[in-house]
């Protein structure tokens, strides 16, 4: 039997899976991203762990699909900056070292781009022509299919709606260095900083245990959602603010692309899907002009990343094929 290797490169974890042609997960491994590394560290982790943990399948692998954090330079298949990566140097290579190390065809896309393609082939996007996938995790990523076409853009970054500006006057800095972005307010990696900003700039309620935790810089994103569930006054107010930010950002996507279905995933969503779906139901109508799509949580859980990555290789989107040709030329010339 022939398989595909699906690789999901996140800011916190790298997931590698052996995927069947039908999108089924045969085997998988999850590896934490190290605190520091070089431009080839990510690729070496992928190669080493695929060979050590999934080596018995490698002789049956037809191609490798990679969905990665970005932004990307798809002309050479590299990540040019990963704002949520903890490293000092936030760029890394993918296509050339993986192409050489596996000696197999390699298809690379943004992680959310890969996930929307996975949903399109195997999930809630089957039979649909207009699909959006949103990952709410350390960062916020989006993949978009319009009229059956996967949107890619000139460099591979047509879907970076996590960096959509939702408050052009806000002095809250996103991890990318810019201001007023959706990810600055609602990305899992930025939310503790956003909570402190909200406490200092907008909150007028009582100092609660969670507010004290935020003030002292000790609150985590799970703490913030727990405070909401527990009825903490600051937690309730801040998470409602986050839900409105999310609704505003996703309304921009709905207004721009008019999808039939919007699928949500990522660790922040999967751990708090009840709160987030309820908030979107309450607030989306406030911002969206276009008719609302069906909004669903991915049924693949954390596996959507590896399934989507493999999907890019199982059925290569037409919009990605020119980039694969450019990556291969750069690889052969040694310029990647």
């Amino acid at each position: 039997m022939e398989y595909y290797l699906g690789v999901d490169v996140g800011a916190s974890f790298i997931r590698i899976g052996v995927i069947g042609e039908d999108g089924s997960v045969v085997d998988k491994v999850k590896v934490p991203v190290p605190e520091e590394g070089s431009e080839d560290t990510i690729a070496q982790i992928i190669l080493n762990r695929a060979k050590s943990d999934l080596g018995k399948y490698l002789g049956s692998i037809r191609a490798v699909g990679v969905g990665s954090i970005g932004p990307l330079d798809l002309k050479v298949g590299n990540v040019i900056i990963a704002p949520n990566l903890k490293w000092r140097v936030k760029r890394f290579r993918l296509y050339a070292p993986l192409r050489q190390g596996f000696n197999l065809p390699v298809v690379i896309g943004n992680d959310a781009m890969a996930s929307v393609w996975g949903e399109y082939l195997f999930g809630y996007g089957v039979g649909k022509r207009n699909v959006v996938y949103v990952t709410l995790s350390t960062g916020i990523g989006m993949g978009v299919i319009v009229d059956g076409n996967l949107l890619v853009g000139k460099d591979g970054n047509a879907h970076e709606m996590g960096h959509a500006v939702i408050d052009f006057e806000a002095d809250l800095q996103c991890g990318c260095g810019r201001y007023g972005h959706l990810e600055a307010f609602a990305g899992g990696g930025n939310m503790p900083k956003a909570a402190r900003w909200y406490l200092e700039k907008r909150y007028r309620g009582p100092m609660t245990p969670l507010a004290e935790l935020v003030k002292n810089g000790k609150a985590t994103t799970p703490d913030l959602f727990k405070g909401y569930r527990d009825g903490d006054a600051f937690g309730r107010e801040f998470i409602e603010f986050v839900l409105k930010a999310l609704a505003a950002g996703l309304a921009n996507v709905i207004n721009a692309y008019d999808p039939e279905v919007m699928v949500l995933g990522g660790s922040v969503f999967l751990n708090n899907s009840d709160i987030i779906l309820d908030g979107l139901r309450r607030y989306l109508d406030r911002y969206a002009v276009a008719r609302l799509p069906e909004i669903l949580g991915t049924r693949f859980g954390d596996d959507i990343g590896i399934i989507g990555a493999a999907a890019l290789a199982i059925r290569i989107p037409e919009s990605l094929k020119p980039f694969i040709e450019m990556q291969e030329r750069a690889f052969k010339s040694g310029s990647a």
Side-chain angles (χ1 to χ4, degrees), residues 24 59 72 91 94 128 212 239 303 328 333:
S24 59
L72 303 163
R91 63 179 182 273
L94 285 172
K128 308 289 196 304
E212 289 289 349
I239 292 298
D303 288 342
E328 187 66 10
S333 69

Side-chain angles (χ1 to χ4, degrees), residues 294-305:
E294 188 175 15
I295 299 175
L296 302 165
T298 179
R299 68 184 181 201
F300 300 120
D302 277 340
D303 288 342
I304 182 57

Side-chain angles (χ1 to χ4, degrees), residues 94-239:
L94 285 172
Y95 186 84
L98 294 180
R99 177 74 174 81
Q100 182 174 8
F102 284 118
N103 194 28
L104 289 167
V106 176
V107 184
I108 294 173
N110 168 274
D111 53 355
M113 174 202 293
S115 293
V116 78
W117 195 245
E119 290 288 347
Y120 183 64
L121 293 191
F122 304 119
Y124 289 123
V126 172
K128 308 289 196 304
R129 288 179 53 78
N130 298 277
V131 184
V132 167
Y133 176 86
V134 182
T135 179
L136 306 176
S137 190
T138 305
I140 297 177
M142 301 185 196
V144 182
I145 293 172
V146 176
D147 298 333
N149 299 303
L150 179 69
L151 298 190
V152 176
K154 71 183 190 310
D155 297 316
N157 301 308
H159 40 259
E160 287 288 350
M161 289 297 289
H163 298 286
V165 177
I166 59 168
D167 188 342
F168 65 87
E169 292 186 326
D171 58 354
L172 181 62
Q173 190 175 30
C174 184
C176 70
R178 294 350 187 247
Y179 291 85
H181 291 182
L182 171 61
E183 190 172 292
F185 295 99
N190 291 324
M191 218 178 288
K193 183 172 75 171
R196 191 167 185 175
W197 173 87
Y198 190 88
L199 180 66
E200 294 172 355
K201 301 284 179 124
R202 301 196 179 184
Y203 185 63
R204 297 294 179 267
M207 284 300 292
T208 66
L210 179 59
E212 289 289 349
L213 206 60
V214 169
K215 181 181 178 181
N216 295 324
K218 296 181 179 179
T220 65
T221 296
D223 290 332
L224 296 168
F225 279 99
K226 183 177 185 301
Y228 181 90
R229 293 182 189 280
D230 292 346
D232 180 279
F234 176 79
R236 297 292 297 186
E237 184 172 320
F238 174 70
I239 292 298

Side-chain angles (χ1 to χ4, degrees), residues 6-10 13-17 29-31 267 302-303 305-306:
V7 182
D8 177 22
V9 180
F13 293 96
I14 299 167
R15 294 174 172 86
I16 310 167
V29 61
K30 178 179 175 181
V31 189
S267 58
D302 277 340
D303 288 342
I306 54 175

Side-chain angles (χ1 to χ4, degrees), residues 16-32:
I16 310 167
V18 177
I19 310 298
E21 282 191 316
D22 60 353
S24 59
V25 179
V26 178
D27 205 346
K28 61 184 178 179
V29 61
K30 178 179 175 181
V31 189

Side-chain angles (χ1 to χ4, degrees), residues 40 48 59 87 90 107-108 158 284 295 314:
D40 286 331
N48 293 341
W87 302 0
K90 297 177 182 289
V107 184
I108 294 173
L284 267 176
I295 299 175
I314 291 170

